[in-house]
Amino acid sequence: MALQCARYPLGSCGTPTHGSLLLLLLSLSWVLHSRAQTADTGQGVMSLWLQRTSQDLSWQRPELTVILRRALRGTEKKACPPGREVHVVDEDLIFYKEWELEACVDGALLAKQMDRVNALPFTYQQLNIFKQKLDQLYPQGYPESLIQSLSYFFLEVTPENIHKWNVTSLETVKSLLKVSKGRKVDAQVAALIARYVVVGGQLDKATLDMLSSFHPAYLCSLSPEQLSSVQQDVVWAIRPQDLDTCRPLQMDVLYPKAHIAFQNMSGSEYFARIKPFLGGASTEDLRALIRQNISMDMATFKKLRKEALLRPSLGPSTSLDLDLRSWL
Ligand SMILES: *[C@@H]1O[C@H](CO)[C@@H](O)[C@H](O)[C@H]1NC(C)=O
Ligand SMILES: *[C@@H]1O[C@H](CO)[C@@H](O)[C@H](O)[C@H]1NC(C)=O
Ligand SMILES: *[C@@H]1O[C@H](CO)[C@@H](O)[C@H](O)[C@H]1NC(C)=O
């Protein structure tokens, strides 16, 4: 029964006095002290403390309730209080406390009523609890039926979630891109595109156009053909890390685009911009760069095309300490 008092902080477990506050703080430091001494029996200490304090003290001070709730977390899984069970996602849920949502809401219900979840003004904290419920229900990844109905809830999921999905419907991709527009979810969008393409999905022109409004973190998921239709202004937005997983055939398409895009820049400025794209550069272009007395770091050098570095007199040069000047 001791726990009942803690669970209903506004209930009538006594009246607050300064004395009781002092006693609580003393108890708290006592708990921390004894926990340190008996680290492996922390749970026993905690329940002992709960019994002691709830006999003596009031829980009407919200800050104390918070302390207690934090202390409780992880040591006890609370049951849903009678009468608070959730059978439908409706307005009432908005007024549930976070621990009540944790105790009373079922992941399968959320998956079934995702449209209602999206229609109601839940807080970020509440939505995050819902997300955890879904993650627990689907540890291997959300089923495609749920992904199709995610809509705005897509903004709550992480790239790690998405990398477990199978997305086979272009309509789903489009609907999720629509809700993502103008939000900072570029990594999620990149993951979504990757998961669509990896199961054989084809992106159409309309989808590629939609993609151009996102940061191009998705580029390496596109085929060389799709990359060739990527607009020139997208090239300006590419960061080096966006190209990390691109394959040589993709770099072959991206380099000429970057070469043209950055043409209005001068020597070192141009080099700084073009560097991440050099994996797709031809022998002639590389030579022209090196003649400009530009020093290339080893990371960039290792990404160059082996064929571009071949010269009949030298043969294949993969040695790490290759002197580029002697190669001219
Ligand atoms: C995705 O597809 C793979 C291969 O068919 C399957 O093993 C995996 O369980 C699927 N994942 C989900 C979340 O449906
Ligand atoms: C080159 O062109 C781009 C876009 O057309 C522009 O943003 C950039 O400032 C230009 N750079 C120089 C050095 O003119
Ligand atoms: C090339 O760079 C080296 C080292 O940065 C410098 O000593 C040399 O004068 C430069 N040569 C030309 C032609 O710019």
Side-chain angles (χ1 to χ4, degrees):
M1 279 312 94
L3 286 180
Q4 287 302 86
C5 279
R7 212 175 277 157
Y8 298 106
L10 300 178
S12 52
C13 292
T15 40
T17 64
H18 288 294
S20 64
L21 175 60
L22 184 62
L23 185 56
L24 174 66
L25 292 176
L26 285 175
S27 309
L28 187 57
S29 70
W30 168 74
V31 167
L32 293 176
H33 184 66
S34 30
R35 273 191 113 192
Q37 286 177 338
T38 58
D40 50 355
T41 56
Q43 198 154 345
V45 171
M46 190 60 76
S47 42
L48 184 58
W49 174 57
L50 287 173
Q51 282 163 16
R52 275 172 42 126
T53 49
S54 56
Q55 280 157 13
D56 304 340
L57 298 177
S58 143
W59 298 100
Q60 294 194 6
R61 285 163 191 272
E63 68 273 23
L64 300 187
T65 319
V66 169
I67 292 174
L68 177 64
R69 204 171 289 155
R70 290 216 183 105
L72 265 175
R73 196 168 291 160
T75 61
E76 182 211 16
K77 194 158 167 52
K78 278 178 266 184
C80 185
R84 300 293 272 169
E85 297 86 355
V86 176
H87 303 292
V88 60
V89 176
D90 62 13
E91 295 77 12
D92 290 348
L93 268 194
I94 298 168
F95 303 103
Y96 273 54
K97 297 192 185 70
E98 286 168 33
W99 73 266
E100 288 179 308
L101 290 177
E102 261 161 36
C104 304
V105 173
D106 174 39
L109 176 74
L110 295 170
K112 238 181 278 158
Q113 305 195 351
M114 202 29 89
D115 54 333
R116 310 199 57 144
V117 172
N118 283 312
L120 293 165
F122 291 111
T123 65
Y124 289 122
Q125 288 80 3
Q126 290 175 321
L127 289 172
N128 192 44
I129 291 168
F130 295 163
K131 177 191 170 297
Q132 286 166 24
K133 292 270 166 192
L134 292 174
D135 291 355
Q136 283 157 14
L137 182 61
Y138 302 115
Q140 313 295 326
Y142 300 178
E144 195 156 7
S145 55
L146 172 58
I147 300 168
Q148 269 159 12
S149 61
L150 274 188
S151 187
Y152 283 97
F153 201 81
F154 180 68
L155 303 174
E156 308 305 317
V157 302
T158 62
E160 292 70 40
N161 286 123
I162 300 168
H163 278 299
K164 295 180 189 166
W165 298 356
N166 295 322
V167 185
T168 59
S169 150
L170 185 59
E171 284 319 302
T172 302
V173 172
K174 283 182 177 167
S175 79
L176 296 179
L177 288 184
K178 227 171 261 168
V179 301
S180 303
K181 198 164 177 182
R183 318 287 181 128
K184 290 202 171 356
V185 287
D186 299 302
Q188 282 86 336
V189 165
L192 176 69
I193 297 300
R195 292 309 300 167
Y196 174 67
V197 169
V198 86
V199 295
Q202 297 289 322
L203 294 165
D204 62 7
K205 170 92 171 57
T207 314
L208 287 174
D209 288 347
M210 284 173 90
L211 273 178
S212 63
S213 67
F214 295 95
H215 195 95
Y218 54 82
L219 276 187
C220 298
S221 296
L222 304 186
S223 68
E225 294 73 37
Q226 287 163 343
L227 284 176
S228 60
S229 66
V230 163
Q231 285 152 19
Q232 205 70 14
D233 48 348
V234 169
V235 174
W236 285 96
I238 299 174
R239 300 163 304 185
Q241 63 265 36
D242 298 329
L243 302 173
D244 278 351
T245 58
C246 280
R247 283 159 291 131
L249 282 176
Q250 294 168 304
M251 293 313 295
D252 288 353
V253 178
L254 289 171
Y255 169 77
K257 280 177 179 289
H259 181 59
I260 293 168
F262 305 147
Q263 237 166 12
N264 65 346
M265 308 188 122
S266 64
S268 58
E269 208 187 354
Y270 170 79
F271 185 66
R273 277 287 191 169
I274 199 74
K275 220 165 81 164
F277 297 86
L278 286 180
S282 65
T283 311
E284 289 67 37
D285 286 0
L286 287 177
R287 274 202 192 131
L289 271 182
I290 291 162
R291 283 203 196 95
Q292 286 173 32
N293 206 14
I294 270 159
S295 63
M296 195 177 295
D297 56 74
M298 201 40 76
T300 305
F301 177 70
K302 283 202 266 185
K303 286 199 183 128
L304 300 183
R305 276 165 30 178
K306 294 248 164 49
E307 313 88 82
L309 289 177
L310 294 186
R311 213 173 63 151
S313 59
L314 284 180
S317 268
T318 50
S319 149
L320 287 190
D321 54 359
L322 176 91
D323 177 2
L324 283 173
R325 316 219 123 258
S326 74
W327 171 73
L328 283 173

